[in-house]
């Protein structure tokens, strides 16, 4: 690349390897601490550049053809090891890094060749300026978005996408290893280089936008499910209010009859009969009061509502709930988890009833606080063929209600959860870390 002595080659190698390392480190999540990572990269880069310089002196022709490919394949393996990102995510970031490498290498060569008659120092200066500009742009503008969309890639990646990313990285390396990159200056050659850079960049942008779009769509879906859940709870609260109003009317109507009976007993001075009547009336009133499930009012009301709903569907419900009145977890988050879990359990039982009348449908729900943890376990009858995808129930097996909302709320508190089909019994388990008073929560 524009020739030069071994000193010039050494400077170019240092700039290129350092530039690639800086750009990749800005976009990746390192496996170790900052100082240790810098030390490891420094040792690796020194060894790599030293070997390349020895190769340059020993056999310049083969070095010009193969050194770039060899060096950056070694860099690829080393960087994947040094990154805490999943392998496929590291491959994507390396593809983007090698694309930027191709841009500053080719730009330096072209500027030097076209405007400065192939001056090697111009090539070096242009490379340094471009690396600084790229690093500054990544750090200020896109570092957070590149790191942030990694979780979308982890959950949505498929084999086709892996192939796309492998092709991307091969494109990037192809720019570096091409021994015929410097040819006679012609408009066609410049057009070819420009189009290659454009197409490779477009491919990188396409992959980025694809996963960003998918990830945002997932987020919108979670929000939609939360809204649907709140809508269902509001509807149920309206029903309870209507039932309460109707019950109040019935009580007022019955009270007139009770007052009339009491007044009649009093006029006849039938004290024994009056006392017996009042005792029966008190017993009847106590029977109409719903049983308290736990001390936490939000959870108590929620479980009462869904237990009544399950009873109407002839589903046997067993509750094992020990929960205090005040909990550091806000009621809205408890409701987001328990309402979705209970409603999904009811939905699973109803699907079994549609499929077969022979199986007995049941729901077992356990909620307990142990030390600084909240433990939730929900078991319910489900179809034998109920399957999971990526460790989560498919939307069609839950009615599309709230699994993502459960997961989002669980992650907010650093929770651990799992779902499984245990031979026709769907099991959902969750452990939440109860935050200390005044402690901050993990951002969703």
């Amino acid at each position: 690349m524009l020739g030069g002595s071994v000193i010039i080659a050494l400077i170019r190698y240092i700039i290129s390897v350092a530039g690639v390392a800086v750009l990749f480190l800005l976009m990746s999540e390192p496996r170790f601490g900052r100082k240790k990572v810098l030390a490891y990269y420094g040792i690796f880069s020194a060894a790599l550049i030293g070997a390349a310089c020895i190769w340059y002196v020993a056999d310049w022709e083969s070095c010009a053809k193969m050194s770039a490919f060899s060096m950056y394949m070694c860099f690829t393996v080393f960087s994947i090891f040094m990154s805490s990102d999943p392998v496929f995510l590291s491959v994507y970031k390396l593809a983007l890094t090698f694309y930027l490498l191709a841009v500053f290498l080719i730009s330096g060569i072209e500027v030097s060749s076209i405007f400065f008659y192939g001056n090697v120092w111009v090539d070096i200066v242009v490379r340094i300026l471009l690396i600084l500009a790229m690093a500054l742009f990544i750090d200020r503008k896109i570092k957070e978005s590149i790191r942030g969309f990694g979780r979308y890639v982890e959950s949505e990646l498929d084999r086709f996408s892996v192939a796309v990313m492998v092709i991307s990285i091969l494109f990037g390396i192809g720019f570096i290893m091409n021994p015929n990159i410097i040819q006679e200056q012609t408009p066609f050659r410049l057009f070819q280089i420009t189009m290659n850079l454009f197409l490779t960049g477009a491919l990188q942008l396409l992959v980025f936008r694809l996963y960003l779009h998918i990830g945002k769509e997932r987020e919108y879906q979670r929000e939609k499910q939360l809204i649907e859940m709140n809508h269902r709870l509001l509807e149920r609260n309206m029903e309870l209010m209507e039932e309460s109003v109707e019950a109040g009317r019935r009580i007022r109507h019955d009270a007139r009859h009770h007052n009339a009976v009491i007044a009649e007993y009093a006029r006849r001075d039938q004290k024994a009969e009056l006392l017996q009547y009042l005792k029966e009336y008190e017993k009847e009133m106590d029977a109409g009061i719903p049983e308290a499930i736990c001390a936490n009012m939000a959870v108590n009301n929620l479980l009462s509502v869904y237990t009544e709903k399950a009873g109407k569907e002839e589903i046997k419900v067993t509750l094992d709930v020990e929960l205090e009145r005040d909990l550091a977890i806000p009621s809205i988050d408890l409701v987001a988890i328990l309402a979705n879990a209970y409603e999904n359990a009811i939905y699973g039982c109803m699907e079994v009833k549609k499929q077969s009348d022979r199986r007995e449908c049941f729901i077992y729900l356990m909620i307990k606080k142990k030390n600084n943890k909240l433990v939730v376990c929900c078991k319910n009858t489900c179809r034998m063929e109920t399957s999971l995808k990526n460790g989560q129930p498919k939307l069609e097996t839950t009615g599309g209600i709230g699994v993502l909302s459960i997961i989002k709320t669980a992650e907010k508190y650093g929770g651990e959860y799992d779902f499984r089909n245990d031979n026709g019994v769907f099991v959902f388990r969750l452990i939440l870390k109860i935050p200390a008073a005044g402690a901050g929560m993990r951002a969703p």
Side-chain angles (χ1 to χ4, degrees):
M1 296 181 182
L2 300 180
S5 66
V6 68
I7 301 299
I8 298 298
L10 174 63
I11 295 173
R12 283 180 173 150
Y13 285 141
I14 292 173
I15 293 171
S16 298
V17 173
V20 171
V22 168
L23 296 176
F24 181 74
L25 285 173
L26 283 172
M27 294 185 286
S28 67
E29 296 287 350
R31 186 184 298 273
F32 308 107
R34 182 184 181 87
K35 292 183 178 179
K36 186 179 289 188
V37 167
L38 292 176
Y40 285 160
Y41 268 97
I43 295 171
F44 170 78
S45 300
L48 190 66
I49 293 170
C53 288
I54 294 172
W55 189 0
Y56 186 88
V57 173
D59 187 355
W60 182 87
E61 186 175 351
S62 64
C63 181
K65 292 181 179 180
M66 295 299 298
S67 62
F69 175 80
S70 302
M71 289 176 64
Y72 292 106
M73 285 303 297
C74 293
F75 182 86
T76 297
V77 175
F78 179 78
S79 297
I80 290 175
F81 171 75
M82 292 295 295
S83 176
S84 63
D85 293 324
V87 174
F88 47 78
L89 186 55
S90 296
V91 169
Y92 171 79
K93 292 178 179 180
L94 280 167
L96 179 56
T97 302
F98 287 146
Y99 171 73
L100 297 177
L101 169 66
V103 171
F104 72 71
L105 282 181
I106 294 175
S107 298
I109 295 171
E110 292 302 313
V111 170
S112 177
S113 299
I114 296 174
F115 300 105
F116 296 93
Y117 305 101
N119 188 294
V120 293
W121 296 107
V122 172
D123 173 36
I124 291 171
V125 170
V126 171
R127 293 186 189 190
I128 294 174
L129 292 176
L130 286 175
I131 290 171
L132 292 175
M134 291 175 180
L136 186 63
F137 179 76
I138 292 173
D139 186 61
R140 298 286 179 85
K141 299 295 183 180
I142 63 174
K143 180 173 68 175
E144 293 303 321
S145 61
I146 289 178
R147 288 185 173 184
F149 97 114
R151 65 179 182 272
Y152 303 148
V153 178
E154 290 184 54
S155 60
E156 302 298 333
L157 193 72
D158 54 24
R159 293 181 180 178
F160 172 77
S161 300
V162 172
V164 170
M165 287 193 293
V166 169
I167 292 172
S168 297
I169 197 170
L170 290 178
F171 267 122
I173 296 175
F175 283 119
I176 305 165
M177 62 177 288
N178 184 4
N180 299 316
I181 193 67
I182 299 299
Q183 299 173 351
E184 184 183 354
Q185 294 288 345
T186 65
F188 176 75
R189 172 180 166 277
L190 292 177
F191 174 77
Q192 185 181 35
I193 292 175
T194 303
M195 288 306 300
N196 284 337
L197 289 173
F198 172 76
L199 292 174
T200 306
L203 185 59
Q204 292 286 349
L205 181 62
L206 175 64
V207 174
F208 178 79
R209 296 290 298 176
L210 172 64
Y211 286 118
L212 199 60
H213 173 74
I214 292 174
K216 288 183 177 180
E217 186 177 1
R218 287 285 188 180
E219 292 293 336
Y220 294 149
Q221 189 175 10
R222 291 188 183 98
E223 297 300 328
K224 177 176 176 289
Q225 289 181 343
L226 282 174
I227 293 173
E228 289 177 349
M229 180 199 70
N230 291 331
H231 178 70
R232 287 180 173 83
L233 290 176
L234 287 173
E235 283 185 339
R236 187 55 187 158
N237 285 334
M238 290 294 294
E239 293 175 5
L240 289 175
M241 290 180 63
E242 291 176 1
E243 291 175 2
S244 297
V245 171
E246 186 62 30
R249 291 174 181 170
R250 185 171 60 253
I251 289 172
R252 288 194 296 272
H253 180 268
D254 293 342
R256 289 197 295 270
H257 295 290
H258 291 305
N259 291 338
V261 172
I262 291 170
E264 186 64 25
Y265 278 128
R267 279 194 297 269
R268 296 183 181 186
D269 199 24
Q270 296 175 326
K271 296 181 180 179
E273 290 82 354
L274 175 59
L275 290 174
Q276 180 63 29
Y277 178 79
L278 290 175
K279 187 180 295 185
E280 292 177 357
Y281 179 66
E282 182 180 3
K283 184 178 180 180
E284 180 182 346
M285 291 296 292
D286 291 339
I289 298 176
E291 181 182 359
I293 299 174
C294 69
N296 189 287
M297 293 304 298
V299 175
N300 185 84
N301 294 336
L302 173 72
L303 297 181
S304 298
V305 167
Y306 281 103
T307 301
E308 181 183 350
K309 181 178 179 180
K312 292 179 180 179
E313 299 294 337
E314 298 181 352
I315 301 170
K316 181 181 177 181
V317 177
T318 303
L319 298 176
D320 183 9
V321 182
E322 297 178 8
L323 208 58
E324 58 194 30
R325 177 183 293 274
D326 297 319
L327 202 63
I329 300 176
S331 297
I332 189 170
D333 291 329
L334 284 175
V335 167
I337 293 172
L338 298 177
N340 283 307
Y342 210 157
E343 189 159 355
N344 288 342
I346 294 173
Y347 180 86
C349 291
M350 292 171 61
E351 289 297 298
V352 171
K353 286 182 173 292
K354 293 178 183 178
Q355 188 180 54
S356 172
D357 295 332
R358 297 180 181 180
R359 294 180 62 189
E360 180 183 5
C361 292
F362 74 90
I363 296 174
Y364 167 78
L365 180 60
M366 184 269 287
I367 309 169
K368 292 185 178 181
K369 178 186 176 185
K370 295 183 179 180
N371 298 325
N372 65 332
K373 302 245 177 102
L374 179 68
V375 182
V376 178
C377 179
C378 183
K379 301 179 181 179
N380 63 273
T381 312
C382 69
R383 290 185 174 185
M384 293 290 184
E385 62 272 18
T386 298
S387 59
L388 306 178
K389 181 181 180 182
N390 297 327
Q392 301 174 17
K394 297 179 180 179
L395 294 181
E396 59 267 22
T397 63
T398 63
I401 301 169
V403 172
L404 295 177
S405 299
I406 293 175
I407 293 173
K408 182 178 180 180
T409 307
E411 291 175 346
K412 181 178 179 181
Y413 295 93
E416 299 178 3
Y417 56 87
D418 74 320
F419 304 88
R420 76 172 190 269
N421 180 0
D422 190 3
N423 195 28
V425 176
F426 190 83
V427 181
F428 161 60
R429 295 181 298 181
L430 171 68
I431 299 177
L432 287 183
K433 296 178 182 178
I434 300 176
M441 294 174 295
R442 181 178 298 184

